[in-house]
Amino acid sequence: MIFILISGIGLALGGGFANGFGHIGVLKVFEEEGIPIDVIGGTSMGAILGGLYACGFSPEEMESIAGDVDWDKLFEKSPPPITIFEKKTFTQGMAEYTLSFSGIKPILPWGVNNGFRIENLFTSVYLPFSLNPQLNFDSLFIPFFCNAVDLLSGKEFIFHNGELVSAIRSSMSVPAAFTPYRTKDCIFADGGVLDDCPAESVSSYRRPVIAVIILTQPLDTIKNPVDAITQSGILYNNRVKIDAVKQADLVVPIYYPALTSMEFKRFREFIERGEDAARRYMPLVDSLLKAWGVERVNKVAVEEKRREFRKHVRYPVLRNLYFENTGINPVVLARWVGFKSGDIITPSVLESTYNSLYKSGAFEGVRLKPLRYFRDSVDITLHFFNKPAGFLKWGILLDTWSPGLLTVSYGVRNSGSVYTGIVFGGSYGDINSLYTRFSFEEVFKRGFSLSAGIQWSERLIPGIGRYVVFMSDARASFASGDMFMEGFVEKQFNRRVLSMGLEVRNYRGNVPICENGRDVGVHLEMDILGRSVYSYHLAKGHVLVMHGMWKRFFMQFGGYFYVSQGNVPPEKREFLGDIDRYLLFPVRSVYFTRYTTINTKLSFLVLNTSALDYSLKIALSLSLSTCFTPSERLPVKVVPLIEVYPGYLRFGFTEKGLYFSLGKKFM
C-alpha cells in the first residue's frame, strides 16, 4: 500500500451532474496551496472525480480526460442494426420511433440512459484499478469510498472494498436518468437519494472534514409568479444540501446558474467556478488547518509520491477470455474483440472493442467483469445485455403539400450467430400499404443480409391519381462501417413488371440538424423483363452532401440528381413537388426525365442543449436552391426556415405561403 504519509483532512465531494466538474477546480487549488488530503468520500459525480483523484490522477489529467470524452456519443443509445427486413423505401426520409416488447408486453426503460457506455468509460479510465484487486479502495494513492442507496432495503450502502467501477457506477445511478445498477441481492441508485455529500461518513475516517457541495445560484430578480416559484425551489434545495453536511467542519459551496447541470461540454467553465470558490474560502481553510494542527505539504513532494505510486500501476495481461449471456458463436466474437490471450489490456484496446460490439446494434450493453486474478494476468468475462426480441415502430409525417403519413410495424428478431427477424406493418395516408418481411442477417464483421417480403401499396401520384402495386421482392445487402450497399429484385403481380436495382449510401440513422459530416448515395434501377409494359433505366441519388459546423454557424452544400430513360412506371417517377431533400419548390406535376438540384443551407443555432440521450436544437436557416431540367433552369429559391430537432419540425416561408413539415428527416 502506498499512501501520503501525512496527517491531513477528510474531503467529501457531493453530486451535481456536469456542475460537479467544479470539484476538479477545488482539487487543483488545494494542490497548489498544499492542502493534505488523507481520505476522500464521494457521491455521484463526486464519486467519479474523487475516485480518479484517489487513483493518482492529477487535476490537470482529470481535466484532460474530460476534454477527450465525446459527450454526445457517451450518452447516445446503441445504434439500431441496419435491418433490411424493416426497410420500407417510402419511409427512408422519415423519422420513426421504437418501443421494445417482450412478446406482447411492452418493456419500459428504467432510465433515460441505460448507463452502459458510461460504465464502459469508467472501466477504461480506471484501468488497471478496475481489473486488479491489489489496486483497489484500500490501496489507492488516497483511501477512497463512495455511497449508493439500495432500493430494496432503503438503506445507504458504503462501498469501501470490492470492484471500483461497479461501486462508482452504483453511486451515480440517478433515478429515472440512469438505469439502476443491479447485483444478485441489491438494486443500487444514486447515493444522493439519501446523502448527497457523505460528510458524516468521512468524519468517521478523518477530521477535520471539508465538504464541497454543488448549489444553484438564486435568481437576481423576481419578475413574475414563475420566477417566484423557481426561486422558492432553488432556496429550498440549497438549504436541504447545506443541512445535510452539518457534520463537516467547513463547507465550500460552488454556485451554478439554474438548468446547467446537463451541460457537460461546459466542463472547463465549471472547473473555473470550482477554482474561484476554493480561492474565496482559502482563508477559512487556513484557519481550519491551524485549529486542527494540520501542516501544509509541498506540491513537489506530492507529485513525487504520485509518480512513485504510478510506477507500480501496470495494465494487466489477458490470460483467458469468456463470453456470457449471448447466443453468438464465440469464434465470431473472439475475432471481433480487440484483444486475445497474452495481450496487454489498455484503454484504447477496450474502447475499440466496445465500439465494435455496439456498432452491430445487437446489444443494449456490454459489461467487462474480472473473473480470476493471477500475479500478472487476469481472466475476463464479457457479459452481454441483449436487446429485447420484439419491437413496435411507428412514425408520423405531416406536410403542407401532402395528405401526411402514419406508419406502424411490429417485428420479432433474435441476436444469435445469424440475426433473423420477421416484421408485419402498414401505413395510412399518402401511401396506404400492408407488408410483411423476413430476413437473415449476419451483422457481425461484414453485415451481410438476405431478406424477402410481400407488399401491397396504394399511392397518390401527382397528375395521375391512385396507383396500386402488389409486389414481392428479394434483397441482399452488405454493410461496412457507415457504408451500406443493397441489391434487390422486385416483381409486381398486378402488372408485368420485373425490375432489379442497386443502392449504395452511407447510413447515419436519425441525423439532427447542425452536425458535421458527409452524405452520399446512389440508386440504380432497370427493367429486366423485356416483354414488360414498362422498360426503363433509372438512376438517382445524392452526389455529395457536406455539412460543416463552426461554433453556432452551420453550412450545408449538396446536390441531387434524377436520370431516367424509357417508360418509367408511375410509382418510380419523381416530380418536382416531391423534392424536399434540399429545396422547397412549389408543387409542380410536371415529370422530367432528368434534372439536377443544387442546394446551400446556412444556419444559425439559437439553441443547442442536451440531457443524456436527448438533445434540443433550434436553428434559423436560409435555404438557397436551384434546379436544372432539360428545358429550363428554375430560378434560385431563397427560403427562410425554422428547424427544430428532435421531432424534425420545420417551418418555411415560400412564395406560396407558409410551409410546414413534421417527422421528415433533415437530410
Side-chain angles (χ1 to χ4, degrees):
M1 300 181 185
I2 302 176
F3 296 138
I4 302 178
L5 301 177
I6 52 178
S7 178
I9 67 166
L11 184 63
L13 303 178
F17 274 101
N19 295 155
F21 280 120
H23 295 317
I24 297 178
V26 172
L27 291 169
K28 186 182 294 186
V29 173
F30 278 14
E31 271 208 3
E32 293 173 354
E33 297 292 334
I35 309 300
I37 301 173
D38 272 7
V39 63
I40 298 177
T43 298
S44 197
M45 195 64 169
I48 297 171
L49 299 175
L52 281 174
Y53 192 71
C55 287
F57 289 90
S58 69
E60 290 75 19
E61 289 175 315
M62 294 161 64
E63 183 175 355
S64 177
I65 291 172
D68 291 338
V69 173
D70 185 336
W71 295 104
D72 291 331
K73 184 177 180 180
L74 181 65
F75 291 126
E76 73 179 4
K77 297 177 182 177
S78 57
I82 305 176
T83 47
I84 290 302
F85 71 89
E86 297 176 56
K87 181 179 174 65
K88 304 177 290 297
T89 303
F90 56 83
T91 64
Q92 186 166 304
M94 180 178 176
E96 293 186 287
Y97 306 92
T98 303
L99 177 64
S100 298
F101 273 75
S102 176
I104 60 173
K105 181 182 178 180
I107 300 176
L108 299 179
W110 283 75
V112 173
N113 186 283
N114 58 34
F116 287 117
R117 287 184 181 271
I118 298 174
E119 182 180 337
N120 299 152
L121 174 66
F122 292 165
T123 304
S124 299
V125 171
Y126 283 102
L127 274 176
F129 305 97
S130 57
L131 294 180
N132 193 331
Q134 302 304 317
L135 294 170
N136 225 302
F137 288 82
D138 57 353
S139 58
L140 299 178
F141 181 59
I142 297 175
F144 168 76
F145 71 87
C146 61
N147 67 339
V149 173
D150 178 15
L151 296 179
L152 294 178
S153 66
K155 296 180 180 180
E156 182 181 11
F157 189 94
I158 303 296
F159 290 92
H160 51 79
N161 54 36
E163 294 180 11
L164 186 62
V165 170
S166 61
I168 293 175
R169 169 65 177 85
S170 300
S171 183
M172 51 75 63
S173 301
V174 180
F178 296 103
T179 299
Y181 190 89
R182 289 173 170 268
T183 64
K184 183 178 180 181
D185 302 315
C186 302
I187 300 177
F188 289 115
D190 191 286
V193 172
L194 292 180
D195 187 1
D196 190 62
C197 185
E200 183 175 357
S201 298
V202 172
S203 67
S204 65
Y205 287 83
R206 173 68 65 186
R207 296 286 299 274
V209 176
I210 296 179
V212 183
I213 58 176
I214 307 301
L215 302 180
T216 303
Q217 182 70 48
L219 301 179
D220 294 329
T221 59
I222 308 297
K223 297 180 179 179
N224 52 57
V226 175
D227 288 346
I229 295 173
T230 302
Q231 185 80 320
S232 300
I234 291 173
L235 296 176
Y236 175 78
N237 289 329
N238 285 352
R239 173 49 55 188
V240 169
K241 287 190 174 185
I242 293 172
D243 289 344
V245 290
K246 287 182 177 180
Q247 294 293 329
D249 298 285
L250 177 64
V251 178
V252 178
I254 311 175
Y255 286 90
Y256 291 91
L259 305 178
T260 60
S261 62
M262 296 294 184
E263 301 287 343
F264 286 87
K265 295 179 183 179
R266 298 172 60 183
F267 65 92
R268 287 191 172 88
E269 174 189 338
F270 297 160
I271 291 174
E272 291 176 0
R273 282 181 174 265
E275 291 183 50
D276 294 341
R279 289 194 172 94
R280 284 197 306 271
Y281 275 77
M282 195 50 60
L284 295 178
V285 174
D286 288 336
S287 300
L288 182 69
L289 297 184
K290 291 177 181 178
W292 284 83
V294 177
E295 296 183 1
R296 292 175 181 262
V297 296
N298 187 292
K299 183 179 180 181
V300 175
V302 174
E303 288 291 348
E304 181 61 32
K305 288 180 178 292
R306 181 179 284 128
R307 283 193 294 269
E308 185 65 25
F309 174 79
R310 297 281 281 272
K311 285 182 181 179
H312 299 276
V313 177
R314 298 176 181 177
Y315 295 125
V317 175
L318 177 65
R319 185 164 181 172
N320 294 295
L321 178 63
Y322 302 93
F323 303 110
E324 191 174 77
N325 195 40
T326 178
I328 299 168
N329 190 325
V331 176
V332 176
L333 282 176
R335 290 200 309 265
W336 212 11
V337 171
F339 48 86
K340 61 184 183 300
S341 179
D343 288 348
I344 298 176
I345 304 174
T346 64
S348 60
V349 169
L350 272 185
E351 183 179 357
S352 175
T353 297
Y354 289 137
N355 288 339
S356 298
L357 293 171
Y358 283 125
K359 203 164 191 177
S360 71
F363 307 114
E364 288 285 353
V366 181
R367 177 171 293 162
L368 185 148
K369 300 191 301 183
L371 185 62
R372 285 182 294 271
Y373 302 100
F374 304 91
R375 181 175 181 180
D376 297 314
S377 60
V378 61
D379 286 350
I380 288 177
T381 296
L382 284 178
H383 183 92
F384 296 94
F385 296 83
N386 299 309
K387 286 192 172 181
F391 65 92
L392 177 70
K393 181 174 286 189
W394 73 94
I396 299 176
L397 190 152
L398 299 176
D399 191 313
T400 304
W401 297 335
S402 67
L405 185 65
L406 169 66
T407 65
V408 179
S409 59
Y410 176 80
V412 180
R413 58 196 173 193
N414 82 306
S415 56
S417 296
V418 178
Y419 199 89
T420 60
I422 185 169
V423 65
F424 306 90
S427 64
Y428 176 77
D430 192 18
I431 301 173
N432 299 324
S433 70
L434 294 172
Y435 56 86
T436 183
R437 184 171 296 281
F438 181 77
S439 78
F440 296 90
E441 305 182 45
E442 210 296 290
V443 298
F444 303 98
K445 275 293 185 187
R446 295 182 175 82
F448 182 72
S449 307
L450 291 173
S451 70
I454 298 176
Q455 176 178 313
W456 168 87
S457 64
E458 180 188 46
R459 183 175 183 178
L460 180 63
I461 307 295
I464 296 176
R466 291 284 176 177
Y467 190 85
V468 178
V469 175
F470 182 49
M471 56 170 279
S472 65
D473 67 337
R475 298 175 181 269
S477 75
F478 178 83
S480 178
D482 292 333
M483 295 307 298
F484 174 74
M485 181 173 66
E486 176 188 71
F488 59 89
V489 177
E490 296 179 347
K491 175 67 175 75
Q492 294 187 18
F493 293 112
N494 57 328
R495 287 175 174 80
R496 299 180 61 187
V497 176
L498 182 63
S499 61
M500 65 178 295
L502 177 69
E503 182 177 1
V504 180
R505 62 183 173 89
N506 67 329
Y507 179 85
R508 301 177 66 207
N510 289 357
V511 180
I513 58 176
C514 302
E515 181 177 289
N516 292 313
R518 294 183 299 175
D519 293 319
V520 294
V522 178
H523 180 102
L524 305 173
E525 197 169 340
M526 64 178 292
D527 189 340
I528 61 173
L529 184 59
R531 295 175 297 168
S532 171
V533 175
Y534 301 102
S535 181
Y536 66 96
H537 298 82
L538 185 151
K540 60 181 180 178
H542 314 308
V543 181
L544 177 63
V545 182
M546 301 184 68
H547 314 260
M549 187 76 187
W550 299 272
K551 295 185 178 179
R552 286 183 172 267
F553 292 94
F554 172 77
M555 181 177 180
Q556 173 182 286
F557 177 83
Y560 179 83
F561 72 95
Y562 178 90
V563 178
S564 64
Q565 182 180 0
N567 190 14
V568 181
E571 79 277 8
K572 303 291 185 182
R573 298 175 186 176
E574 286 193 356
F575 300 84
L576 291 186
D578 294 336
I579 304 171
D580 185 38
R581 296 173 182 84
Y582 305 108
L583 74 164
L584 298 171
F585 286 116
V587 175
R588 295 181 59 172
S589 296
V590 179
Y591 171 67
F592 292 102
T593 58
R594 61 182 182 273
Y595 58 81
T596 302
T597 67
I598 298 176
N599 171 265
T600 299
K601 186 171 72 173
L602 306 174
S603 302
F604 176 73
L605 205 58
V606 296
L607 179 64
N608 182 16
T609 184
S610 60
L612 305 181
D613 287 338
Y614 299 95
S615 61
L616 175 62
K617 300 174 186 277
I618 301 178
L620 301 179
S621 305
L622 198 64
S623 175
L624 296 86
S625 309
T626 188
C627 182
F628 299 88
T629 72
S631 59
E632 62 178 322
R633 181 183 73 82
L634 279 74
V636 175
K637 296 290 181 181
V638 180
V639 180
L641 298 167
I642 300 175
E643 297 177 306
V644 181
Y645 174 89
Y648 297 96
L649 178 63
R650 173 187 283 169
F651 295 95
F653 302 91
T654 71
E655 61 187 40
K656 291 195 66 176
L658 178 66
Y659 170 84
F660 164 82
S661 68
L662 175 68
K664 188 172 292 186
K665 290 182 183 178
F666 304 137
M667 304 296 286

